[in-house]
Amino acid sequence: MTEPQGASVSRNQLETGAAQDGAPKPQASAPASAARDDDTVITALTLDDAALTPAMQAYFDKCTEKLGFVPNVLRAYAFDTAKLEAFVAMYNDLMLAPSGLSKLEREMIAVAVSSQNRCYYCLVAHGAAVRALSDDPVLGELMVMNYRAARLDRRQRAMLDFAVKLTAEPFGIEDVDRAALREVGFSDRDIFDIAAVTGFFNMSNRVASATDMRPNSAYHRQKRG
Amino acid sequence: MTEPQGASVSRNQLETGAAQDGAPKPQASAPASAARDDDTVITALTLDDAALTPAMQAYFDKCTEKLGFVPNVLRAYAFDTAKLEAFVAMYNDLMLAPSGLSKLEREMIAVAVSSQNRCYYCLVAHGAAVRALSDDPVLGELMVMNYRAARLDRRQRAMLDFAVKLTAEPFGIEDVDRAALREVGFSDRDIFDIAAVTGFFNMSNRVASATDMRPNSAYHRQKRG
Amino acid sequence: MTEPQGASVSRNQLETGAAQDGAPKPQASAPASAARDDDTVITALTLDDAALTPAMQAYFDKCTEKLGFVPNVLRAYAFDTAKLEAFVAMYNDLMLAPSGLSKLEREMIAVAVSSQNRCYYCLVAHGAAVRALSDDPVLGELMVMNYRAARLDRRQRAMLDFAVKLTAEPFGIEDVDRAALREVGFSDRDIFDIAAVTGFFNMSNRVASATDMRPNSAYHRQKRG
Amino acid sequence: MTEPQGASVSRNQLETGAAQDGAPKPQASAPASAARDDDTVITALTLDDAALTPAMQAYFDKCTEKLGFVPNVLRAYAFDTAKLEAFVAMYNDLMLAPSGLSKLEREMIAVAVSSQNRCYYCLVAHGAAVRALSDDPVLGELMVMNYRAARLDRRQRAMLDFAVKLTAEPFGIEDVDRAALREVGFSDRDIFDIAAVTGFFNMSNRVASATDMRPNSAYHRQKRG
Amino acid sequence: MTEPQGASVSRNQLETGAAQDGAPKPQASAPASAARDDDTVITALTLDDAALTPAMQAYFDKCTEKLGFVPNVLRAYAFDTAKLEAFVAMYNDLMLAPSGLSKLEREMIAVAVSSQNRCYYCLVAHGAAVRALSDDPVLGELMVMNYRAARLDRRQRAMLDFAVKLTAEPFGIEDVDRAALREVGFSDRDIFDIAAVTGFFNMSNRVASATDMRPNSAYHRQKRG
Amino acid sequence: MTEPQGASVSRNQLETGAAQDGAPKPQASAPASAARDDDTVITALTLDDAALTPAMQAYFDKCTEKLGFVPNVLRAYAFDTAKLEAFVAMYNDLMLAPSGLSKLEREMIAVAVSSQNRCYYCLVAHGAAVRALSDDPVLGELMVMNYRAARLDRRQRAMLDFAVKLTAEPFGIEDVDRAALREVGFSDRDIFDIAAVTGFFNMSNRVASATDMRPNSAYHRQKRG
């Protein structure tokens, strides 16, 4: 079995120095910073990893190959195969499948929503994605800090206004809000996708905040320009 | 193919009386009420249904058999098989799979969260579920109106306090909030499940509000006592 | 004297099983539900009923005749004749006297305001009134859950927008808000009535919430369609 | 008939200089200030005064005798006898009848609530009442500006904390809030009175804001010390 | 050295009656009111006054000559010369130097901003300034209570709308907000001044609230008309 | 005279390509990114630079020498010498003079406050300062995104809790909040400094947001680790 062990180390064990099975303390190789434990103690919950299915193992391997690491959110779900698979299926469909929204636009929504909800995990991980997909480190910062300060075209501005209103006061969305999206060229299918990505990060932000999920430390340095 | 046709009828068509393919107007059998069109025009978006896969067709059939209808949220996702399957997989795992939370408790979270977000679809559909699972019509009303007014035991009160805080200010959840759950007996796995159900309805509330999703009219009369 | 005795039973007495004057415990005939004690312990305050004046006795009798019970809000005020009479006079004038607003419209305001304030008592009692006056169970649910999701005509929508803004941020009401009412046909007298009904339920919601007032259990089943 | 005429002068008439029945323009004797029209155009609504009943006429006369003027709120209700009488009955009971709360304490609640709602009419009129009843001009200012800055004893502080929470988030009041009042010596009857006064000004604030009710200019100079 | 001694008297000393160096208790000459200690115990912090520089001594002397007292905010900064000088320099430039905004307009901003932040010190001190500069006691009250209730011309209304939005949600200010100022005649330099005065009182409000700064009691009676 | 010319170029000129005095367009050397114009068009206001005084020229020269550039906030104030000097004096005293708070702690407050206010300029410039002073890129991100997610000691956590509450609801600060600071070891002078730094950034955030101030593009890459 080769699934990551770290997720089953509880924060308490770590702080008292009692590492699992006598192995060297995981901090040894961790970055000397506020992110020191973030690659080893990935949530505030102690949950034992389940055995990965072959499909999930392959997916984790592909993450390692492409990113150099398995995103902590996946490790946080790895205690339960059904939950991990459902999360991965929904994530991959929403963020990677064909859509009228570019992958960058979907990541811009992810970060603007996460900024509204002040979700540390998602801002770090998806802020890096905006930097990478846009090849513009500053655009990532703008999405994290205040999307209203970015010089966006009308389409992207309307998209983010909808996503942030839907986040802050979902009960207030009405026909006029959908009309504003259609006016800048979004189709009904695009509107669904904006809604679904906004919804997904309103979910993920809350799972991450509820569990104090920590972003892999490697994200911070990615694509800083 | 037998998937429901209604979802592909746009609101505009319906309002002008131009029903699809010359069939009798769907309102004919609809309830004469504010829910008049809710069984036929299920969202504000016009999206053509995809062909259901055999698995999804079977699932829809089972819904019809057990509930007398296919919940509109499923029909709203039916334009895209991958989205429908991911939603169903996640929903069934969260709400029906074994958990330290009873099914009723998970539905109570669903409704308290949806009340915070004032989501019409979810309040109607899951309010009915609370009535059914508790065999107590009043408990459903309390979850819809103000869960703080319910006479709950400490465990369920702590569970809903966490869920509603996580909904209203996710950035403010800290160790002390998780400790409050552990104090009334929730395990770390239970905490994950509370977080995940809360997150899921924060997602669903927003997809429903963004698309003006309408609850099947039959929910209203269910289990009124 | 025949006034209801229940209001003078304190919650504490009830919970320890010490019912008044050795009579059988009042829960005996109460519904087995979250509303179990709501017909007997109607607020969190212990206040002895005053003797009803003949006028108030007649009014209570008429309530019993027409509704089958005396609304708990009246019993909650029954400890003080002046307060009860002032409440009844103002209520009856606002909700039942001639006005440019129909009785249903006044009840719609009552529920939309009470939803903003999440008042359990008023949502239950006046939600039932909307169901009864409209002969539409779903309209009641819409007012409770999110009036913006109802398919209202422009007049009623403007009326509720004004009432809810006046509830949420009264300091922000200005000429433009009154103009919006005039534009859909409301007279200055109508505007006063919208304001007065909105104000009245902002009062009642707070008296009910401050005292944990419980709605009569019979409301829940009324007019469910 | 001797009821005040001013209330039936619309703002529009006044601004174009067209005073009622050729009489000298009412501003002539009005203060040269931001309160210039406040004694003549008392709301933004044009409503004809009804004939005062003898009881109400006597009440208005007593106001003139004691205060030097009829409070504009009474003139604003004078278009309809039933509304005027109900308002006066409830006001007099709440603010003047025997209670465990002193008259000053009831006025302190009035102003702290009106500050939360930023109601110009009530802050001016009841701020003057606090100055008069306390013989302390500064206490009035503190209630208007931020009651938390006042050096209050525990009883009055608890009373205002309850009133302001009940104003800002009525749905959040629970047993613990009532317990805090009992702890500093308030009886259940006192709690009802705190709730009722708080409720009443949440009503009045909204009627005043909805109609742009203007305070009599004389209030401003009263009891400035 | 002649700097005021009072600022170094701690609140605790005062409440136990232990006045500095055996001198008569400072309350002796204080007003018998809620402002009783406000001229002697000017903040909740115990900080020893620094020796005033000749420039600052001259400035304090001028205050005493013109106002009859040294404003407590200056005494609160007097523990540190650099802080006092920087505060005075910025204040005098913003509020007294030539600007497209009149001194009254700058004070109106000061009070409207302080009302949003409910700052007792600034509302008292600058409310008095609005009364003095406008020669209109009522205008001061309107700025304190709800600037929206004042009958302002379009220029001043736009100015205050900008200042209050900038206070309440600074992240939401965009080109359209600046355009609204230009439309009523403000130059870019004027816009900077509106921003700077708004910013300055957002700073001062917070220093005053953080330290429980008390306004000199003399302000209350000034210019009451 | 050698003061920067850029500040006097209006955004409109730039967008139409009409650069000042025929010189090559400033974008030529600007970064190809969302920060493209941020080094040349530093606010949304068109204000001509004043001649720098020798002291200010020396200060700007020192900035260039130490940082490689003059921070845009200084250039934004350069249209008026008195404003520039007052800003610089206050800034240098607060952020650089001796204090019980370390320079890093003062910058942490700066960023946590700016995060609450979502101020793009201050988050970029002072986020870089936290990275530099702490030698920890991740600490800067945590202050920007959600300081509650940082693993801070009790002292720094109490400091930031006070600063953020003082920012969000200044009217709610009371003795208990100051006591929480004293409990973790802060002196009264330290409390003043926390208040003053918090106040200063509440001012700067608003001047920056009101003028759409842009951070120098060089900040983004600084100290990314």
Side-chain angles (χ1 to χ4, degrees), chain D residues 126-193:
Chain D
H126 294 276
V130 170
R131 295 196 302 270
L133 288 167
S134 65
D135 204 22
D136 184 355
V138 177
L139 188 65
E141 295 293 272
L142 280 158
M143 294 300 105
V144 167
M145 291 168 176
N146 186 356
Y147 79 94
R148 297 172 198 85
R151 313 283 187 230
L152 302 172
D153 60 25
R154 287 176 62 231
R155 168 189 162 91
Q156 293 187 340
R157 177 60 195 254
M159 175 186 83
L160 295 181
D161 281 347
F162 188 93
V164 169
K165 180 175 178 181
L166 183 56
T167 299
E169 36 174 334
F171 48 82
I173 294 285
E174 299 201 55
D175 280 344
V176 67
D177 301 292
R178 286 178 288 269
L181 291 179
R182 292 190 181 107
E183 221 166 272
V184 294
F186 287 110
S187 70
D188 277 21
R189 167 61 199 267
D190 296 339
I191 295 175
F192 191 96
D193 287 1

Side-chain angles (χ1 to χ4, degrees), chain C residues 64-222:
Chain C
T64 305
E65 186 194 317
K66 284 183 64 169
L67 305 172
F69 56 86
V70 178
N72 282 350
V73 66
L74 299 178
R75 293 170 60 199
Y77 274 91
F79 71 92
D80 185 286
T81 300
K83 288 184 202 315
L84 176 62
E85 289 183 339
F87 179 87
V88 167
M90 189 177 281
Y91 178 86
N92 285 346
D93 171 65
L94 279 176
M95 301 304 282
L96 304 176
S99 162
L101 310 179
S102 71
K103 287 179 193 173
L104 171 59
E105 286 172 335
R106 288 177 265 179
E107 292 288 351
M108 288 167 71
I109 294 174
V111 184
V113 165
S114 302
S115 173
Q116 185 65 30
N117 290 329
R118 300 184 187 281
C119 175
Y120 180 57
Y121 183 91
C122 301
L123 286 169
V124 170
H126 294 277
V130 170
R131 296 197 300 270
L133 288 166
S134 66
D135 203 22
D136 183 356
V138 177
L139 188 65
E141 295 295 271
L142 280 157
M143 293 301 105
V144 166
M145 292 169 175
N146 187 355
Y147 80 95
R148 296 170 198 85
R151 313 277 186 238
L152 302 172
D153 62 25
R154 288 176 62 231
R155 168 189 163 91
Q156 294 187 339
R157 177 61 194 253
M159 177 186 81
L160 295 181
D161 281 346
F162 188 93
V164 169
K165 179 175 178 181
L166 183 57
T167 297
E169 38 174 332
F171 48 81
I173 294 285
E174 298 202 57
D175 279 344
V176 67
D177 300 293
R178 286 178 287 270
L181 292 179
R182 291 188 182 110
E183 219 165 275
V184 294
F186 287 110
S187 70
D188 277 22
R189 167 62 198 269
D190 296 339
I191 296 175
F192 191 96
D193 287 1
I194 295 171
V197 174
T198 300
F200 183 83
F201 283 93
N202 271 285
M203 175 177 71
S204 293
N205 290 170
R206 284 174 176 84
V207 173
S209 292
T211 61
D212 194 18
M213 195 181 291
R214 314 302 296 185
N216 307 63
S217 65
Y219 283 124
H220 294 287
R221 281 181 304 275
Q222 286 178 348

Side-chain angles (χ1 to χ4, degrees), chain E residues 114-143:
Chain E
S114 302
S115 174
Q116 185 65 31
N117 291 328
R118 301 185 186 278
C119 175
Y120 181 57
Y121 182 92
C122 301
L123 286 169
V124 170
H126 294 278
V130 169
R131 296 196 300 270
L133 288 166
S134 66
D135 204 21
D136 184 355
V138 177
L139 188 65
E141 295 294 90
L142 281 158
M143 293 301 105

Side-chain angles (χ1 to χ4, degrees), chain F residues 81-114:
Chain F
T81 300
K83 288 183 202 315
L84 176 61
E85 288 183 338
F87 179 87
V88 166
M90 189 175 282
Y91 178 86
N92 285 346
D93 171 66
L94 280 176
M95 300 304 283
L96 305 176
S99 162
L101 311 179
S102 71
K103 286 180 194 172
L104 172 59
E105 286 172 335
R106 287 177 265 179
E107 292 288 352
M108 288 167 71
I109 294 173
V111 183
V113 166
S114 301

Side-chain angles (χ1 to χ4, degrees), chain C residues 27-82:
Chain C
Q27 301 96 311
S29 61
S33 86
R36 188 169 42 101
D37 299 330
D38 289 358
D39 297 322
T40 48
V41 189
I42 62 177
T43 76
L45 305 181
T46 303
L47 296 168
D48 287 325
D49 287 345
L52 288 177
T53 59
M56 286 298 105
Q57 183 61 55
Y59 184 61
F60 276 39
D61 290 347
K62 205 171 87 181
C63 288
T64 305
E65 186 194 317
K66 284 183 64 169
L67 305 172
F69 56 86
V70 178
N72 282 350
V73 66
L74 299 178
R75 293 170 60 199
Y77 274 91
F79 71 92
D80 185 286
T81 300

